[in-house]
Amino acid sequence: MANKGEAEKPLDDLIYQILEKLQKEVESKKLPLLERFTQLCLVGVPWETLTRFSPDELKENLLGSFHFMDNKPPEAIKVRVFNPPKTVEGRSSAYTIIETTLKNQPFLIDSIQLYLRRNNIKEISCIHPLFTIERDKKNRIIKIEPGTQPGIRE
């Protein structure tokens, strides 16, 4: 039986690979926020789900999700549905992403999942991190913590 440290190593390695890629693309002042965002998004996601995607795909999806969340007015509900652009290898994506960002309202996730089931749309995975977010006066993210921390949860 693997101990806890051994079980976490593949995830730590994957996060490290993604962060290395982000460092080459992101302005330095946003990098600590993106590092924290990446860690909080991926912890708790089943390994089988993560291995369906290349590190490049995960990096692109995480970067897009962060930008989608950034600069959101406090009470706004944002939704987008899209097929990610072609992969690094030039293949079209075989999946569609439904993404929301809003104050914590878990029943909305349940409603989306119910809609998918009723319409026979296969759900590959549901990644639903909960964050405690602090924003500046322009609604930009300046601090991101686990949703268990006090503050505004999104």
Side-chain angles (χ1 to χ4, degrees):
M1 179 184 228
N3 68 35
K4 186 177 178 190
E6 290 172 359
E8 292 173 351
K9 185 163 180 10
L11 179 59
D12 291 343
D13 291 345
L14 178 61
I15 290 173
Y16 180 79
Q17 288 176 47
I18 293 168
L19 295 180
E20 271 190 320
K21 293 172 184 300
L22 284 171
Q23 287 174 353
K24 297 174 185 173
E25 295 183 32
V26 176
E27 60 183 277
S28 59
K29 70 179 183 179
K30 284 286 187 187
L31 194 56
L33 287 172
L34 269 162
E35 288 175 350
R36 187 72 170 140
F37 179 78
T38 296
Q39 293 164 340
L40 293 173
C41 280
L42 298 183
V43 168
V45 176
W47 185 248
E48 310 81 58
T49 299
L50 293 175
T51 56
R52 290 182 176 153
F53 308 100
S54 72
D56 284 316
E57 286 176 297
L58 289 169
K59 181 225 14 145
E60 288 299 321
N61 290 340
L62 287 160
L63 188 57
S65 293
F66 181 83
H67 289 309
F68 182 65
M69 283 183 67
D70 205 13
N71 196 26
K72 180 188 78 67
E75 298 301 320
I77 296 174
K78 289 174 68 176
V79 178
R80 68 179 179 165
V81 179
F82 66 100
N83 292 335
K86 291 187 185 258
T87 64
V88 174
E89 298 83 23
R91 296 179 285 119
S92 294
S93 297
Y95 56 94
T96 299
I97 293 176
I98 302 171
E99 193 165 24
T100 63
T101 181
L102 58 143
K103 274 189 172 179
N104 184 30
Q105 298 175 32
F107 67 90
L108 288 178
I109 300 301
D110 295 337
S111 297
I112 291 169
Q113 290 176 313
L114 180 60
Y115 175 85
L116 294 173
R117 277 193 299 278
R118 285 184 175 166
N119 288 280
N120 296 315
I121 300 170
K122 182 181 177 186
E123 178 184 326
I124 294 174
S125 67
C126 178
I127 300 172
H128 181 241
L130 181 60
F131 307 110
T132 299
I133 302 281
E134 186 178 326
R135 297 178 180 274
D136 65 15
K137 290 180 182 180
K138 294 181 180 179
N139 296 315
R140 307 292 278 187
I141 297 171
I142 57 173
K143 187 175 180 183
I144 187 164
E145 294 295 333
T148 55
Q149 299 298 310
I152 297 173
R153 291 180 185 82
E154 297 185 30

